[in-house]
């Protein structure tokens, strides 16, 4: 209970999973609005059920018990839940939202199977393969409409039936009609074993009883020093939340959504939060003690959000003009923070300023200027950018360290992301293997990792940027085979000379991807090293011309190490 001094105490209880889900269904456990949205990937959801069946610990759930009304989410796992009972003690989840949403959304979901075009619903339909080929791939999703199709619909136990005796019995009867009593007995026995393990699983519920919200979040941070913490903006939202105002986290969600709606994609939440901090006058925007930041700034943070939104949208417009087509290709999130600082202080830059900012963007990406950045690094860059905006000082640039070509193609690397952004702008009108134009930006937005495929699988050159293409092919045909079957005059020469393309359409296909005819001819003669060397030569020539056009001198060596520090 809450004492006169506002003190709190912790209490740990072991509860059956069903009891915890019942409390959610009846409103006694609530998810406060300052929690981040459900963000778990489908594979994380499957891993959770696999761990539960094996009896592995999945971590404690931390709740804050209080009679103080806290605004809460209307649904958990996309299932509507009732509001908290008025005047009663309610448990608000501080840690465990993703796990509880997964469990509640799957086990307490009713209704028909999802439609094939329902992109939200399918992830809540989890199945257990009752005759798995591998002990590590027992749980799976089914994305299409209806139940899993033949040849083996009887192999799959819908996990949603585990939470209801009636639904489980109905599943068992239907299974017997499908496969006959003999086979059904074995499958139902396995299904019952799975259901019992899930229903009997016990959760450790840690209750923080009494206290105030600051104390609740303080306990949370102390218990999670080494674990997965709230996002920074979620932490500050918890501390600065006011009943009559939208949370900081929800305001940042609005910025994310408004930028994404332009087709640029989703910006990193942490970067947007740091923009808010920077515009609110906070000196150390990289501090890990966000709760202390919130106590210093309080409502001033929320007041800075409109300014941050305007600055971010101006920054996005600039980045597109400068040659960055998608948010997911932003080399360093810190670049967004620093540029937003400029556009806050100078919303309408001159042409000379825009030119300098463009140079700054590409130099910092190519020189690895933010790799391993510290609080001091970012503070210095923010000060330099504000001085450039307000006083017209010169922006310092690390021209000596510029190396725009990554030594290996790695989309976790800032240098590779910058290379991809440049390549899209350099070859904007691509053609597929049939000669039809396609939107390369859309291909990458749909899945950057899958979009870029290697042409040849040779150890020393497989990871070279010149060996990677975004080139849709006929289903079932490899990229290499598709390129080899482009038309030639008189077949393959056997005197070591290069083949000649006959079709203007085939020439346009190659040119649209920056593939010289000599590079293609090297493939035809089983000389993949020629393909990579010739295409690398062309790419470097185009890269030098691009850099010269924006006033960036390049040294003799363009190739640099592909650092993997692109998130910060």
């Amino acid at each position: 209970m809450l004492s006169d001094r506002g003190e709190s105490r912790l209490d740990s209880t072991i509860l059956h999973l069903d009891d915890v889900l019942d409390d959610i269904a009846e409103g006694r456990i609530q998810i406060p609005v300052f929690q981040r949205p459900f963000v778990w990937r489908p594979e994380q959801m499957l891993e959770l059920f696999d761990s539960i069946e094996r009896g592995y610990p999945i971590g404690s759930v931390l709740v804050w018990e209080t009679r103080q009304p806290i605004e809460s989410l209307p649904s958990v796992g996309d299932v509507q839940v009732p509001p908290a009972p008025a005047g009663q003690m309610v448990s608000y989840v501080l840690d465990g939202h993703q796990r509880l949403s997964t469990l509640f959304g799957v086990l307490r979901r009713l209704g028909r199977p999802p439609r094939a075009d329902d992109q939200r619903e399918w992830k809540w339909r989890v199945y257990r393969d009752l005759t798995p080929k591998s002990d590590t791939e027992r749980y799976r999703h089914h994305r299409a409409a209806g139940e899993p199709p033949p040849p083996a619909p009887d192999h799959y136990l819908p996990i949603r039936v585990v939470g209801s005796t009636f639904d489980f019995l109905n599943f068992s009867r239907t299974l017997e009609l499908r496969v006959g009593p003999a086979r059904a007995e074995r499958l139902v026995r396995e299904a019952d074993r799975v259901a019992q393990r899930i229903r009997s699983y016990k959760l450790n519920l840690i209750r923080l009883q009494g206290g105030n919200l600051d104390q609740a979040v303080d306990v949370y941070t102390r218990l999670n020093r080494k674990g997965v913490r709230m996002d920074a903006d979620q932490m500050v939202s918890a501390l600065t939340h006011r009943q009559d105002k939208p949370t900081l986290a929800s305001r940042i969600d609005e910025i994310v959504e408004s930028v994404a709606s332009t087709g640029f994609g989703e910006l990193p939440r942490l970067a947007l939060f740091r923009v808010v901090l920077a515009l609110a006058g906070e000196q150390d925007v990289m501090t890990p003690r966000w709760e202390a930041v919130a106590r210093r700034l309080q409502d001033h943070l929320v007041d800075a959000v409109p300014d941050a939104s305007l600055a971010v949208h101006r920054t996005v417009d600039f980045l597109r003009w400068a040659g960055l087509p998608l948010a997911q290709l932003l080399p360093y999130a810190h670049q967004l923070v620093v540029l937003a600082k400029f556009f806050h202080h100078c919303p309408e830059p001159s042409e000379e300023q825009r030119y300098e900012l463009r140079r700054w963007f590409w130099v910092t990406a190519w020189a690895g200027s933010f790799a391993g950045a510290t609080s001091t690094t970012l503070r210095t860059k923010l000060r330099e950018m504000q001085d450039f905006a307000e006083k017209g000082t010169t922006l310092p640039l690390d021209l000596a360290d510029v190396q725009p070509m990554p030594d290996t193609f790695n989309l976790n690397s800032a240098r590779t992301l910058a290379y991809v952004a440049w390549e899209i702008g350099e070859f904007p009108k691509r053609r597929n293997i049939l000669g039809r134009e396609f939107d390369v930006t859309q291909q990458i937005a749909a899945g950057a990792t899958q979009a870029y495929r290697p042409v040849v699988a040779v150890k020393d050159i497989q990871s070279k940027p010149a060996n990677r293409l975004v080139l849709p092919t006929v289903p079932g045909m490899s990229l290499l085979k598709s390129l080899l079957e482009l038309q030639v005059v008189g077949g393959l020469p056997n005197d070591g000379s290069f083949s000649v393309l006959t079709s203007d359409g085939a020439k346009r296909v190659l040119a649209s991807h920056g593939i010289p005819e000599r590079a293609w001819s090297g493939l035809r003669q089983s000389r993949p090293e020629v393909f990579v060397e010739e295409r690398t030569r062309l790419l470097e020539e185009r890269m030098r011309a691009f850099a010269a056009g924006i006033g960036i001198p390049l040294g003799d060596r363009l190739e640099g190490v592909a650092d993997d520090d692109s998130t910060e």
Side-chain angles (χ1 to χ4, degrees), residues 453-558:
R453 294 185 291 164
V455 177
V456 294
V458 177
K459 183 178 179 181
D460 292 339
I461 60 177
Q462 183 173 358
S463 62
K464 293 297 181 183
N467 189 41
R468 299 296 180 110
L469 297 178
V470 180
L471 177 54
T473 57
V474 176
M477 184 176 290
S478 71
L479 184 54
L480 176 59
K481 185 177 181 182
S482 299
L483 288 171
L484 290 175
E485 293 190 358
L486 288 172
Q487 294 176 349
V488 298
V489 168
L492 179 66
N494 52 22
D495 59 359
S497 63
F498 287 93
S499 304
V500 179
L501 289 164
T502 64
S503 165
D504 288 339
K507 292 181 180 180
R508 285 194 292 269
V509 170
L510 295 184
S512 74
H513 295 273
I515 302 175
E517 290 187 32
R518 290 175 65 88
W520 170 83
S521 188
L523 288 181
R524 293 279 299 179
Q525 297 182 63
S526 299
R527 296 167 63 189
E529 73 283 356
V530 172
F531 172 81
V532 172
E533 289 170 3
E534 292 295 331
R535 187 164 188 256
T536 297
R537 184 175 293 113
L538 180 140
L539 292 172
E540 289 186 348
E541 289 174 358
R542 301 284 286 262
M543 180 72 79
R544 288 185 182 280
F546 173 82
I550 56 177
I552 302 176
L554 299 180
D556 295 335
R557 180 176 174 79
L558 301 190

Side-chain angles (χ1 to χ4, degrees), residues 157-452:
L157 168 68
I159 295 301
R160 68 180 182 275
V161 309
V162 167
S164 166
T165 302
F166 175 82
D167 288 341
F168 187 82
L169 290 174
N170 188 50
F171 162 79
S172 302
R173 287 194 294 268
T174 303
L175 186 61
E176 183 175 354
L177 292 174
R178 282 178 176 177
V179 303
R183 191 171 182 215
E185 182 179 359
R186 178 173 58 83
L187 293 172
V188 170
R189 187 162 54 245
E190 174 67 4
D192 185 60
R193 185 189 68 80
V194 172
Q196 289 294 337
R197 282 178 171 259
I198 294 176
R199 284 197 294 260
S200 63
Y201 190 82
K202 295 180 180 180
L203 279 174
N204 182 26
L205 193 72
I206 300 177
R207 291 187 176 94
L208 172 67
Q209 297 175 324
N212 54 37
L213 188 56
D214 282 16
Q215 290 172 312
V217 176
D218 183 60
V219 169
Y220 171 82
T221 56
R222 289 173 185 269
L223 292 176
N224 287 270
R225 291 297 181 190
K226 297 181 180 179
V228 177
R229 300 178 56 172
M230 289 183 191
D231 283 346
D233 61 301
Q234 304 294 338
M235 182 68 67
V236 175
S237 289
L239 290 163
T240 61
H241 179 56
R242 302 292 182 268
Q243 288 293 115
D244 58 340
K245 291 185 178 182
T247 66
L248 176 62
S250 66
R251 300 286 293 275
I252 289 179
D253 284 338
E254 292 173 1
I255 300 177
V256 172
E257 292 168 6
S258 63
V259 170
S261 68
T262 68
F264 190 64
E266 292 191 1
L267 291 168
R269 293 180 58 88
L270 181 55
L272 294 177
F273 179 58
R274 284 174 172 158
V275 171
V276 175
L277 289 177
L279 301 195
E282 176 60 29
Q283 294 299 307
D284 189 358
V285 301
M286 287 183 65
T287 176
R289 294 187 57 80
W290 300 112
E291 61 271 25
V293 172
R295 290 187 178 95
R296 289 197 300 272
L297 298 179
Q298 290 294 323
D299 291 337
H300 188 45
L301 273 181
V302 178
D303 295 337
V305 172
D307 289 340
S309 180
L310 288 173
V312 166
H313 277 278
R314 292 179 184 126
T315 301
V316 168
D317 289 341
F318 162 76
L319 287 172
R320 283 178 145 166
W321 171 82
L324 187 76
L326 293 169
Q328 69 194 74
L329 297 178
L330 181 65
Y332 295 103
H334 289 332
Q335 291 174 301
L336 175 76
V337 178
V338 176
L339 287 168
K341 183 75 168 175
F342 172 86
F343 283 101
H344 172 65
H345 292 285
C346 184
E348 296 183 4
S350 66
E351 286 302 312
E352 292 79 7
Q353 287 174 311
R354 285 167 64 85
Y355 178 81
E356 287 302 314
L357 288 177
R358 189 184 188 194
R359 292 181 74 229
W360 179 91
F361 170 74
W362 287 105
V363 167
T364 54
W366 291 344
S369 300
F370 289 101
T374 64
S375 294
T376 301
T377 303
L378 192 52
R379 185 163 52 245
T380 299
K381 297 294 185 184
L382 287 167
R383 185 177 61 251
E384 291 171 352
M385 191 59 76
Q386 183 173 347
D387 289 345
F388 174 65
E390 294 182 333
K391 303 175 183 178
T393 57
T394 301
L395 278 176
L397 295 176
D398 304 322
L399 294 175
D401 296 325
V402 168
Q403 290 178 308
M405 293 291 286
D407 61 347
T408 58
F409 190 91
N410 171 15
L411 283 165
N412 290 321
S413 152
R415 189 169 270 115
T416 300
L417 292 176
Y419 163 79
V420 171
W422 166 79
E423 196 210 53
I424 291 174
E426 194 70 15
F427 305 99
K429 295 182 178 180
R430 312 283 176 103
R431 294 178 181 271
N432 65 19
I433 211 66
L434 300 177
R436 298 170 185 157
E437 286 192 359
F438 68 93
D439 191 326
V440 63
T441 303
Q442 287 185 0
Q443 291 281 329
I444 294 174
T449 304
Q450 295 77 22
Y452 269 92

